[in-house]
């Protein structure tokens, strides 16, 4: 039987063998692997990139106090970005399933329309949810736009739902019964975290403090973005720290949402505020990339 | 020699619901390509699976026919002087790239001209197709497209991965999005080979050998017959679901149904919940026992050939169990907070950015339903209560998860929380009718609530400019308006339209389109009858219905159509005379004979017709009006309306005007098309669909 961590190892190895950088999770709270700069920023511009990483994804509103066998406040995604997309991507993807022990001849695989969209990131793509015997195991997306910018090169994003896949492989009805490694269950490792964060997210997070945090992070981000234009040495400019502030805003927004602190109009307005920051950071990042590639081009010509 | 053509566009999985329209479009574009190039095929047909759009033609010529074109140059008189070609003739020949000797004098409708008969040899069909097919392929319309080769690259529904293009035995060479056409196809993703060489003759067979059934019909039959075999001797029945079947046909290349089961414990949950989970979330068919009760079984359709070890069945059962467990959890957790206590939470659910939250909407619906209840003479307390609770299920976990169940869930929760049937049923049925085939809410309370909800959406959306155009109707306003019409008519609610929707002219027009559609397409009235009746007033749709039924009944009688023709004549006479009306005929000015006869017949009838109209006995009223025909006919045969004496002329116009206005309150007869051949008319003209 494949343990939870075996599945992680094998998928990472599989994509490593296909030229991916294996990254560690981004060390800030994010709602999805897409939010990590390794995806949200790297998909911009013409430069090829291949990366895979496991991203713990926090969605405060999805928490269930550890009582629901399938729903988690924090779940793990294996995020794969291949930029540009190889022509045989679907075959490569299907082989990755074989690599973790799924004999496709004995199972039923379907690709069902599902177009992913993130209004806060100004990002969307075209794709499918991949169904294995009726279970959604992967979100498969051809990115079209990110940070409100049409992408020069179309990357594919594969997002594997690791708990679901492990539960499927192990035939477990509850994620908490998944064997993490022999003798240790997923529940042993994570149940307390699910419970405590559910209590915090739904009952105890201080709403006025959250609003303050949101304002602070927003202000800090905007201050940086405003400074970009006149900053003399652009390659030194801290675009990545500015983007971190976007992520913090996004997480605080999710917390406010799970606390039920946002009315309809507020919700729309706050999404727009985060989106504005995300678009600004994406613009700066892309500009910085272009300047660097121009500089590299000029250096080549000089030689 | 005539040749077959095979075109296969190999793609990644196309959304099922887009495939049939795409095939229609592909076929039309291909026909256009043929026509533009003076080519004809004996037959053209299309097929598809999620991974391929296929067009096959038979009997294409090897070459396009040769073409002749007569190009005229200068007039013959200016072309030669003294038997020698002039500058004009030489110039024309140069322009055509030939000698003057190749030109001829032709007699044209404009006179004699120097002409060049240009002959163009037909091109090879293969070359024409090689040039045209890329545009044909990329021209297929899809609701949402993507690019994949890079910014500015070609757009299609999903990436194109291979192309088969064969004319006879030869490849039609072209390239789309970096993919070169060839003779190699791909089989089923898991069970088939890739790079399979095919010919136009063995193509379908080669696919079948690689677990791809090209024909949708064949996939459908396979699903149906195998389901039948699975159920043999079980006593179970499938609940028919043609839309689901069609989806399954287009998300599979090699469909195989399997029979699964779930714990009968779950049957304690509302059937609506179970069926929705199976139908919308898992694409399973629901099953029932011989007595019609929901059975703890389901049918899933795989995209593969078998489930020998039962792993797929086991996997699907596991997923369904998890989903039903969720539903059971939602059902119990949702009960912990009554609908009534959820009203304030609606402030956190968006209805529409410009139209506020569902709390705002709830307040509006409560007010509107109170007003409508009073107008319709329905007791308003129950309606208001139902309206207050109607949207609360949007805050329940069950509806957040199974959005299709909004309304239904609210009704079920209201029932569980002890609301009287009148109220819970109104909530349950508030979104009815969901289509023209669906029934309207079953109670008066439910009808008022459904009206209030739909009217609020319509009025609100029109006010903030969210007006449907073409195929864009994101708030399903056409369906809402259609629902209002259906409820008013079939619920026999005499609510004036203007009281419902107010003064918005655009909205009124929009509504009238729905009214016309309903009476014509759903109820089968003739278009001219509908026009005639609506021209005489459209405030009360139940009254419109009564008048239409009367017209339909009276129409075949011998006097009706001739009288309608006379009314049209009257209308034209009044129009030509620019007669604005007013006044009553002066009896002393009437000429004895037909004119006086018509007047006295009219006098005798008018109060009777008025009385009948008041009682809505339209049929009898129309029959009475039709009985005037002999007098009207003889008036027109023997009386000159435009009499030389102005006072007599004016009196006659007044008589006709009185007649017309008095008898046009049921229907404007001049709208009736009186030759039967015309009466079918533009029944399905564009813009009348809902």
């Amino acid at each position: 039987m494949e343990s939870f961590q075996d599945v992680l190892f094998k998928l990472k190895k599989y994509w490593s063998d296909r030229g991916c950088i294996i990254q560690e999770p981004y060390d800030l709270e994010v709602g999805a692997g897409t939010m990590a700069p390794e995806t949200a920023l790297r998909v911009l511009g013409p430069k090829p990139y291949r990366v895979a990483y496991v991203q713990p994804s926090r969605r405060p509103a999805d928490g269930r106090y550890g009582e629901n066998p399938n729903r988690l406040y924090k779940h793990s995604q294996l995020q794969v970005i291949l930029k540009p997309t190889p022509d045989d991507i679907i075959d490569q993807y299907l082989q990755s399933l074989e690599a973790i022990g799924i004999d496709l001849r004995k199972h039923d695989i379907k690709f069902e329309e599902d177009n992913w969209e993130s209004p806060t990131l100004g990002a969307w793509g075209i794709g499918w949810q991949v169904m294995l015997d009726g279970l959604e195991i992967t979100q498969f997306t051809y990115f079209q736009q990110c940070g409100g910018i049409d992408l020069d090169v179309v990357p594919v994003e594969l997002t594997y739902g690791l708990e679901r896949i492990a539960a499927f492989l192990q035939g477990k009805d509850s994620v908490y019964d998944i064997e993490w490694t022999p003798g240790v269950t997923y529940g042993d490792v994570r149940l307390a975290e699910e419970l405590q964060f559910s209590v915090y997210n739904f009952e105890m997070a201080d709403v006025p403090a959250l609003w303050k945090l949101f304002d602070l992070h927003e202000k800090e981000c905007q201050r940086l973005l405003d400074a970009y234009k006149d900053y003399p040495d652009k390659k030194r400019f801290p675009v990545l720290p500015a983007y971190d502030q976007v992520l913090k805003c996004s997480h605080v927004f999710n917390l406010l949402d799970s606390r039920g602190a946002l009315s309809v109009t507020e919700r729309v307005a706050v999404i727009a505020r985060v989106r504005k920051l995300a678009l600004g950071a994406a613009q700066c990042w892309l500009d910085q990339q272009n300047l660097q590639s121009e500089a590299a081009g000029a250096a080549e010509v000089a030689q | 020699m005539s040749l077959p053509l095979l075109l296969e566009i190999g793609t990644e999985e196309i959304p099922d619901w887009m495939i049939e329209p795409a095939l229609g479009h592909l076929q039309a574009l291909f026909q256009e390509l043929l026509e533009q190039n003076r080519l004809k095929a004996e037959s053209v047909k299309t097929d598809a699976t999620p991974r391929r759009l296929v067009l096959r033609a038979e009997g294409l010529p090897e070459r396009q026919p040769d073409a002749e074109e007569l190009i005229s140059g200068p007039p013959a008189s200016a072309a030669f002087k003294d038997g020698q070609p002039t500058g004009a003739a030489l110039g024309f020949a140069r322009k055509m790239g030939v000698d003057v000797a190749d030109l001829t004098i032709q007699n044209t409708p404009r006179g004699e001209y120097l002409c060049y008969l240009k002959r163009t040899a037909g091109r090879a069909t293969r070359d024409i197709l090689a040039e045209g097919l890329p545009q044909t392929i990329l021209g297929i319309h899809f609701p949402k497209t993507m690019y994949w080769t890079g910014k500015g690259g070609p757009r299609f529904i999903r990436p194109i991965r291979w192309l088969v293009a064969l004319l006879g035995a030869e490849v039609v060479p072209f390239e789309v999005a970096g993919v070169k056409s060839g003779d190699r196809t791909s089989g089923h993703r898991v069970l088939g080979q890739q790079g399979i060489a095919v010919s136009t003759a063995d193509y379908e067979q080669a696919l079948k050998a690689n677990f791809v059934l090209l024909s949708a019909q064949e996939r459908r039959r396979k699903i149906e017959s195998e389901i039948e075999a699975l159920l043999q001797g079980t006593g179970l029945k499938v609940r028919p679901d043609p839309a689901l079947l069609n989806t399954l046909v287009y998300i599979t290349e090699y469909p195989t149904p399997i029979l699964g089961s779930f714990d009968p414990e779950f049957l304690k949950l509302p059937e609506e919940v179970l069926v929705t989970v199976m139908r919308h979330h898992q694409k399973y068919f629901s099953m029932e026992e011989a007595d019609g009760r929901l059975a703890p079984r389901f049918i899933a359709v795989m995209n593969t050939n078998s489930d020998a070890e039962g792993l797929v069945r086991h996997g699907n059962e596991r997923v369904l169990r998890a989903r039903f467990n969720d539903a059971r959890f939602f059902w119990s957790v949702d009960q912990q907070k009554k609908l009534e206590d959820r009203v304030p939470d609606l402030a956190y659910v968006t209805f529409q950015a410009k139209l506020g939250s569902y709390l705002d909407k709830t307040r509006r619906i409560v007010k509107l339903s109170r007003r409508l209840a009073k107008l319709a003479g329905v007791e308003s307390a129950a309606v208001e209560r139902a309206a207050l609770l109607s949207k609360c299920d949007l805050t329940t976990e069950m509806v957040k998860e199974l959005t299709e169940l909004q309304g239904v869930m609210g009704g079920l929760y209201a029932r569980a929380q002890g609301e009287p049937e009148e109220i819970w049923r109104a909530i349950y049925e508030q979104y009815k009718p969901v289509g023209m085939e669906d029934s309207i809410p079953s109670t008066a309370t439910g009808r008022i609530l459904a009206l209030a909800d739909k009217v609020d959406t319509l009025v609100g959306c029109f006010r903030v400019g969210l007006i449907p155009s073409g195929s864009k109707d994101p708030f399903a306003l056409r369906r809402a308006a259609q629902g209002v019409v259906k409820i008013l008519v079939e619920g026999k609610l005499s609510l004036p339209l203007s009281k419902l929707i107010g003064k918005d002219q655009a909205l009124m027009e929009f509504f009238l389109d729905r009214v016309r559609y309903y009476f014509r397409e759903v109820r089968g009235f003739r278009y001219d009858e509908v026009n005639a009746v609506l021209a005489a007033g459209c405030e009360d749709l139940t009254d419109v219905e009564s008048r239409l039924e009367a017209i339909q009944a009276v129409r075949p009688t011998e006097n009706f159509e001739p009288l309608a023709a006379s009314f049209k004549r009257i209308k034209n006479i009044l129009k030509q005379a620019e007669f604005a009306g007013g006044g009553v005929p002066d009896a002393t000015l009437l000429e004895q004979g037909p004119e006086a006869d018509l007047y006295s017949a009219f006098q005798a009838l008018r109060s009777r017709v008025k009385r009948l109209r008041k009682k809505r006995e339209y049929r009898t009223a129309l029959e009475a009006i039709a009985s005037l025909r002999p007098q009207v006919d003889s008036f027109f045969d023997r009386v000159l309306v435009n009499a030389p004496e102005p006072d007599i002329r004016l009196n006659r116009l007044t008589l006709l005007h009185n007649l017309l206005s008095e008898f046009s309150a049921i229907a404007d007869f001049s709208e009736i098309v009186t030759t039967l051949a015309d009466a079918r008319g533009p029944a399905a003209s564009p813009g009348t669909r809902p």
Side-chain angles (χ1 to χ4, degrees):
Chain A
M1 186 167 74
E2 303 274 347
S3 71
F4 184 58
Q5 66 192 36
D6 282 340
V7 175
L8 266 63
F9 295 152
K10 287 187 178 169
L11 284 174
K12 284 184 181 179
K13 177 79 172 80
Y14 179 87
W15 288 111
S16 163
D17 291 346
R18 276 150 194 82
C20 284
I21 294 160
I22 302 301
Q23 263 282 19
E24 296 306 314
Y26 201 60
D27 57 346
L28 286 184
E29 305 99 327
V30 292
T34 311
M35 310 280 299
E38 284 293 84
T39 296
L41 297 179
R42 294 277 190 179
V43 295
L44 297 165
K47 215 164 152 185
Y49 202 64
R50 289 187 161 212
V51 65
Y53 52 97
V54 174
Q55 184 64 54
S57 302
R58 303 193 191 212
R59 296 176 183 175
D62 287 354
R64 290 294 183 273
Y65 298 85
E67 288 165 5
N68 184 298
N70 302 300
R71 269 160 221 263
L72 297 165
Y73 144 69
K74 188 168 96 181
H75 71 286
S76 307
Q77 300 180 337
L78 179 82
Q79 172 84 358
V80 180
I81 293 288
L82 303 175
K83 175 192 175 191
T85 306
D87 288 350
D88 64 344
I89 179 59
I90 293 192
D91 291 327
Q92 288 195 31
Y93 166 73
L94 292 176
Q95 284 161 29
S96 77
L97 299 181
E98 301 264 7
I100 51 173
I102 298 169
D103 181 351
L104 294 177
R105 289 182 166 263
K106 295 181 177 172
H107 292 279
D108 174 35
I109 282 272
K110 292 197 192 90
F111 289 75
E112 296 186 359
E113 180 192 20
D114 193 16
N115 300 325
W116 169 85
E117 176 176 27
S118 163
T120 35
L121 275 185
W124 65 275
I126 292 267
W128 308 273
Q129 46 183 354
V130 183
M131 309 296 287
L132 173 63
D133 298 347
L135 175 73
E136 184 196 346
I137 53 164
T138 303
Q139 187 78 38
F140 190 123
T141 306
Y142 291 107
F143 259 62
Q144 301 285 292
Q145 212 180 57
C146 192
I149 300 162
D150 284 343
L151 299 181
D152 293 310
V153 175
V154 175
V156 70
E157 176 194 63
L158 307 174
T159 304
Y160 297 75
L162 293 172
E163 284 87 354
R164 285 177 173 211
I165 291 173
F168 173 86
L169 289 170
Q170 298 180 9
K172 296 285 163 58
D173 275 349
S174 165
V175 290
Y176 296 106
D177 296 335
I178 294 170
E179 186 189 88
W180 192 299
T181 191
V184 182
T185 66
Y186 191 89
D188 293 336
V189 180
R190 292 219 49 250
L191 186 60
E193 189 186 350
E194 283 294 322
L195 173 61
Q196 293 185 17
F197 274 94
S198 293
V199 171
Y200 177 75
N201 297 338
F202 289 124
E203 302 169 20
M204 292 181 69
D206 184 53
V207 173
L210 289 173
W211 276 119
K212 255 182 233 158
L213 281 173
F214 186 90
D215 291 341
L216 285 172
H217 289 307
E218 182 190 38
K219 207 178 267 174
E220 181 65 349
C221 185
Q222 195 59 59
R223 184 179 69 82
L224 287 173
L225 296 177
D226 290 344
Y228 180 78
K229 196 169 135 274
D230 296 323
Y231 194 81
D233 188 358
K234 295 272 195 276
K235 78 168 185 294
R236 290 184 73 249
F237 187 83
V239 174
L240 294 169
Y243 183 72
D244 273 8
Q245 299 298 321
V246 178
L247 294 180
K248 285 171 190 285
C249 283
S250 163
H251 182 62
V252 173
F253 163 74
N254 287 340
L255 285 172
L256 284 165
D257 206 21
S258 70
R259 285 290 277 126
L262 298 169
S263 74
V264 166
T265 31
E266 277 171 329
R267 199 167 190 285
V268 174
V270 176
I271 289 179
R273 281 161 73 183
V274 182
R275 183 188 160 89
K276 181 173 169 247
L277 300 176
L279 265 52
Q283 283 293 352
C284 290
W285 195 85
L286 189 58
D287 187 61
Q288 210 171 40
Q289 294 302 302
N290 289 340
L291 290 174
Q292 273 166 23
S293 59
E294 273 166 32
E300 256 173 53
V301 170
Q303 281 173 7
Chain B
M1 202 175 84
S2 89
L3 298 168
L5 170 75
L6 164 63
L7 172 69
E8 181 190 51
I9 309 164
T11 68
E12 294 176 359
E13 279 74 354
I14 304 171
D16 55 271
W17 58 280
M18 296 184 187
I19 294 176
E20 284 182 341
L23 286 181
H25 207 207
L26 169 62
Q27 176 140 4
L29 287 169
F30 180 71
Q31 293 287 13
E32 240 170 69
L33 176 66
L34 293 187
E35 275 162 33
Q36 277 164 10
N37 290 284
R38 294 176 289 113
L39 288 170
K40 267 207 182 83
E42 279 159 22
S43 68
V44 178
K45 65 169 178 172
T46 57
D47 283 291
T49 74
R51 289 181 68 209
R52 60 202 85 226
L53 300 174
V54 177
L55 180 143
R56 284 178 290 178
E58 295 291 334
L60 279 167
E62 208 167 337
R63 308 189 72 81
Q64 189 185 33
D66 295 344
E68 286 190 348
E69 189 190 0
L70 194 65
I71 303 170
S72 50
S77 55
F80 295 96
K81 197 172 178 196
D82 310 326
Q84 292 301 311
T86 61
L90 291 170
F92 177 60
R94 208 177 315 117
K95 202 168 135 206
M96 294 295 109
V98 294
D99 290 335
V100 176
D102 297 325
L103 304 175
T104 53
I105 302 285
Q106 298 280 341
N107 215 346
T108 76
R110 291 179 299 149
E112 289 202 323
Y113 276 77
L114 184 65
C115 290
Y116 174 52
L117 185 66
K118 187 179 169 191
R119 289 199 175 81
T120 318
R123 298 173 61 209
T125 303
R126 182 163 160 264
D127 295 342
I128 292 169
L129 293 175
E131 247 173 53
L133 285 178
Q135 272 91 42
T136 301
I137 293 168
L138 293 176
I140 299 173
H141 173 79
F142 291 99
K144 191 167 192 174
T145 58
M146 62 174 286
Y147 63 94
W148 65 97
T149 59
K151 188 150 83 181
R155 304 186 70 93
F156 206 63
I157 178 59
R158 289 292 185 277
I160 296 173
R161 294 304 185 197
W162 77 87
L163 291 162
V164 176
L166 291 169
L167 183 65
E170 283 187 280
V171 169
V172 181
F174 59 90
E175 193 179 309
V176 176
V179 177
K180 285 194 169 64
S181 60
D183 64 351
R184 278 160 202 275
T185 184
S186 272
H188 184 276
R189 275 206 189 280
V190 176
L191 304 173
Q193 305 286 312
Q194 296 189 357
I196 308 154
V198 290
S199 68
T200 54
D202 73 3
Y203 169 70
E204 198 163 346
Q205 212 39 52
L207 284 181
K208 192 172 281 186
N210 283 278
F211 297 94
V212 174
L213 301 178
L214 180 62
S215 150
Q217 198 48 39
E218 196 176 342
R219 296 197 297 279
R220 195 182 308 272
R221 273 200 303 269
K222 184 172 191 293
I223 296 173
E224 285 172 334
S225 66
E226 291 181 13
I227 288 179
E228 210 167 295
L230 283 173
L231 299 187
Q232 202 88 57
T234 61
L236 297 168
K237 277 187 299 187
V238 175
R239 294 209 171 154
D241 190 338
L244 176 61
L245 180 59
N246 211 42
T247 297
L248 292 165
V249 162
Y250 282 110
I251 56 172
T252 54
E253 298 210 283
Y254 200 82
T256 306
I258 50 172
L259 180 59
S261 56
F262 59 84
D263 187 343
E265 254 317 280
F266 288 119
L267 292 171
K268 288 179 185 159
L269 283 169
E271 189 176 309
E272 292 89 338
V273 172
L274 301 176
V275 170
T276 301
V277 168
M278 289 192 275
R279 164 76 172 79
H280 292 278
H281 294 253
Q282 295 302 128
K283 300 193 171 74
Y284 300 157
F285 290 102
S286 301
M287 318 280 297
E288 57 186 35
E289 314 278 2
D291 62 6
R293 279 178 306 128
L294 190 69
R297 310 296 290 269
F298 65 90
I299 289 205
V301 175
M302 310 184 292
N303 182 29
T304 188
N305 62 336
S306 84
D307 181 30
E309 296 173 38
L311 295 175
V312 182
R313 178 180 51 77
H314 179 78
N316 279 284
E317 287 175 347
R318 192 179 149 273
V319 176
L320 189 62
R321 185 160 62 239
R323 288 212 178 257
F324 281 174
N325 269 322
D326 272 0
R328 184 155 59 188
F329 174 76
F330 298 150
W331 176 252
S332 72
V333 121
D334 286 344
Q335 307 278 11
Q336 289 166 16
K337 190 169 185 180
K338 289 190 139 196
L339 289 180
E340 192 171 359
D341 299 329
R342 293 174 181 270
V343 174
D345 303 345
L346 291 171
Y348 299 93
V349 187
T350 315
F351 169 52
Q352 200 282 326
K354 290 182 193 157
L355 297 170
S357 69
Y358 270 98
L359 181 60
D360 299 323
K361 184 171 175 65
T362 297
R363 290 187 180 128
R364 294 193 303 262
I365 303 177
V366 169
K367 230 168 102 185
L368 183 56
S369 55
R370 181 188 312 140
R371 191 161 70 78
L372 295 182
K374 286 207 176 108
L375 277 172
V378 174
E379 204 267 306
S380 74
V383 178
E384 280 183 59
R385 173 81 181 158
L388 179 71
L389 303 180
S390 62
K391 302 300 171 190
C392 291
D393 65 350
L394 295 173
T395 70
T396 63
E397 296 302 316
M398 188 77 87
V399 171
K400 283 186 208 164
E401 187 72 12
L402 307 172
T403 49
E404 305 86 351
L405 282 177
Q406 57 178 310
V408 168
M409 257 1 271
L412 294 173
Y413 285 136
R415 184 173 64 182
Q417 291 162 17
E419 296 291 338
E421 171 158 5
E422 192 185 1
I423 288 168
W424 72 253
R425 197 171 281 287
I427 298 171
Y428 187 102
E429 296 178 341
Q430 64 181 295
Y431 296 104
K432 277 175 145 313
V434 291
M436 275 297 104
E437 290 76 36
D438 192 20
S439 59
I440 63 171
S442 58
T443 66
T445 305
R447 287 168 198 163
I448 297 290
L449 174 61
L451 280 179
D453 180 32
K454 291 171 175 65
V455 167
D456 174 72
T457 300
L458 284 160
V459 171
C461 286
F462 267 73
R463 198 181 62 231
V464 300
L466 298 166
I467 299 171
S469 67
S471 61
K472 286 204 169 70
D473 184 9
F475 292 91
L477 298 185
R478 290 194 184 95
R479 196 170 73 186
Q482 210 75 76
V484 169
V485 172
K486 200 171 154 98
I487 294 171
L488 288 175
V489 177
E490 292 171 25
K492 308 250 173 274
L493 285 166
S494 299
L495 295 172
L497 265 191
S498 62
K499 286 256 158 85
L500 275 181
I501 60 180
K503 291 194 189 108
D504 188 325
Q505 203 48 46
L507 182 54
M508 185 54 96
E509 290 297 320
F510 182 76
F511 248 99
L512 288 180
D513 273 349
R514 304 304 112 196
V515 171
R516 278 183 213 111
Y517 176 83
Y518 172 78
F519 282 114
R520 290 193 322 218
E521 309 296 321
V522 182
R523 299 291 301 277
F525 289 103
R526 289 193 199 164
Y527 84 100
D528 58 340
E529 294 167 359
V530 174
N531 289 347
V533 165
L534 290 181
C538 54
E539 266 288 270
D540 177 350
L541 297 184
T542 62
D543 189 54
V544 168
E545 184 193 37
S546 308
R547 287 184 278 136
L548 270 168
E549 282 168 348
I551 289 255
Q552 195 179 44
V554 176
R555 184 161 194 170
T557 59
E558 59 167 342
N559 286 333
F560 181 78
E561 291 209 359
L563 190 74
S566 300
F567 270 72
K568 191 174 281 177
R569 194 168 164 190
I570 295 175
K571 203 172 177 182
N572 285 334
I573 290 169
L574 293 171
K575 198 171 148 199
Q576 273 168 19
E578 293 177 3
F579 184 75
V584 289
D586 178 350
T588 61
L589 289 173
L590 296 170
E591 189 182 328
Q592 284 310 301
E595 188 179 12
D597 292 349
L598 177 59
Y599 178 72
S600 58
F602 168 61
Q603 287 296 79
L605 262 184
R606 65 193 303 179
S607 55
R608 183 163 165 249
V609 167
K610 215 173 229 164
R611 224 174 24 250
L612 289 167
R613 227 171 56 212
K614 274 219 175 88
K615 290 194 280 180
R616 290 200 178 184
E617 287 177 24
Y618 296 128
R619 185 175 172 169
T620 323
L622 287 175
E623 280 163 356
I625 295 169
S627 72
L628 266 185
R629 181 192 165 194
Q631 285 83 353
V632 173
D633 282 356
S634 104
F635 175 85
F636 278 123
D637 283 347
R638 306 200 352 234
V639 179
L640 185 66
V641 179
N642 284 324
E645 307 85 345
D647 55 342
I648 292 182
R649 176 172 171 267
L650 191 68
N651 201 45
R652 284 180 183 162
L653 288 171
T654 308
L655 171 62
L656 290 179
H657 186 267
N658 271 244
L659 191 67
L660 187 71
S661 53
E662 200 65 52
F663 293 153
S664 293
I666 297 172
D668 179 349
F669 299 98
S670 64
E671 292 282 347
I672 297 290
V673 177
T674 46
T675 52
L676 283 176
D678 286 346
R680 294 268 155 229
S685 64
T688 61
R689 298 261 147 206

